[in-house]
Amino acid sequence: MEIELLAPVGSFEAFKSAINNGANAVYLAGTRFGAREKATFSNEEIKSIVKEAHINEVKVYVTVNTLIYDDELKDVLEFVDFLYNNDVDAIIVQDLGLITLVRNMYPDFSIHASTQMNTMTVKQARLLKEMGVQRVVVARETSMQVIKNIIEDVGIEVEVFVHGALCISYSGQCLMSSLIGGRSGNRGACAGSC
């Protein structure tokens, strides 16, 4: 089994540090559609990061891991088009409808199912693979046995968080912050109410 060290980057300093410390890949968010509100990059910055990463043989994955509202569809598809045409290695997606649209528009664009999808069963992983997803980022609550079963039974790449925000609710499915404080985790603004 091949292991990839993937690091989140929310600044150029973090990006440089990830590359200099042996990351095989980095993930980041654009200014919209990512669940990390304050850790974002402009399109021009993304282009620059992709070029430098690829020179250093590091992959770049971009999060498009919020649920997409109807009035955002045109904008999110323009963003995905930008990412595809600027050699981003994969997008990390939460919205099932967006997965279907991207797969139809860009059959060769690698899609990773975000931890925001709360995938924690073999059945869910199998469905995502059937939809054309190459990698599933399992929910943080997923047991080691289930992760092993997904790898063996589904034959899909599996990504596991070894560190990060560990909410007490289900990954990507909590409404507590938005209900209590008007800050939506779906928009990267979770207040950590739990």
Side-chain angles (χ1 to χ4, degrees):
M1 177 182 354
E2 192 172 319
I3 295 176
E4 174 185 77
L5 178 59
L6 172 61
V9 295
S11 67
F12 280 107
E13 294 78 18
F15 169 65
K16 291 285 193 181
S17 180
I19 286 180
N20 292 335
N21 287 287
N24 305 106
V26 297
Y27 73 91
L28 56 94
T31 57
R32 294 180 65 196
F33 313 116
R36 299 178 71 207
E37 181 184 52
K38 297 191 189 299
T40 63
F41 294 90
S42 71
N43 285 0
E44 288 306 311
E45 290 169 328
I46 292 171
K47 284 168 67 170
S48 174
I49 285 173
V50 169
K51 285 180 186 172
E52 186 169 345
H54 288 173
I55 288 169
N56 288 282
E57 298 181 10
V58 171
K59 293 180 179 179
V60 177
Y61 309 140
V62 176
T63 59
V64 188
N65 61 343
T66 58
L67 294 173
I68 306 303
Y69 300 119
D70 290 345
D71 63 344
E72 297 173 321
L73 195 53
K74 179 179 178 284
D75 292 342
V76 76
L77 292 176
E78 286 175 2
F79 183 56
V80 169
D81 184 70
F82 163 80
L83 298 173
Y84 179 81
N85 287 310
N86 283 281
D87 300 321
V88 166
D89 296 286
I91 55 173
I92 304 169
V93 180
Q94 175 186 14
D95 193 291
L96 287 171
L98 185 60
I99 289 173
T100 300
L101 290 171
V102 171
R103 183 55 52 236
N104 289 335
M105 293 170 66
Y106 308 102
D108 61 335
F109 203 1
S110 186
I111 300 173
H112 298 178
S114 172
T115 190
Q116 299 295 107
M117 293 188 83
N118 197 44
T119 304
M120 53 193 314
T121 70
V122 169
K123 193 173 186 178
Q124 288 170 299
R126 187 172 288 119
L127 173 65
L128 290 166
K129 183 177 181 180
E130 289 169 4
M131 292 180 70
V133 170
Q134 283 77 33
R135 176 184 297 180
V136 61
V137 186
V138 293
R140 294 172 178 102
E141 304 82 21
T142 309
S143 72
M144 290 296 291
Q145 184 59 53
V146 171
I147 293 169
K148 183 178 177 184
N149 292 348
I150 290 171
I151 293 168
E152 292 173 356
D153 297 347
V154 180
I156 191 170
E157 291 181 25
V158 174
E159 181 179 320
V160 179
F161 275 79
V162 294
H163 185 275
L166 298 175
C167 74
I168 63 168
S169 189
Y170 291 99
S171 295
Q173 306 299 310
C174 181
L175 296 173
M176 191 179 297
S177 176
S178 61
L179 294 173
I180 291 173
R183 292 176 53 185
S184 173
N186 182 50
R187 295 299 163 170
C190 181
S193 305
C194 56

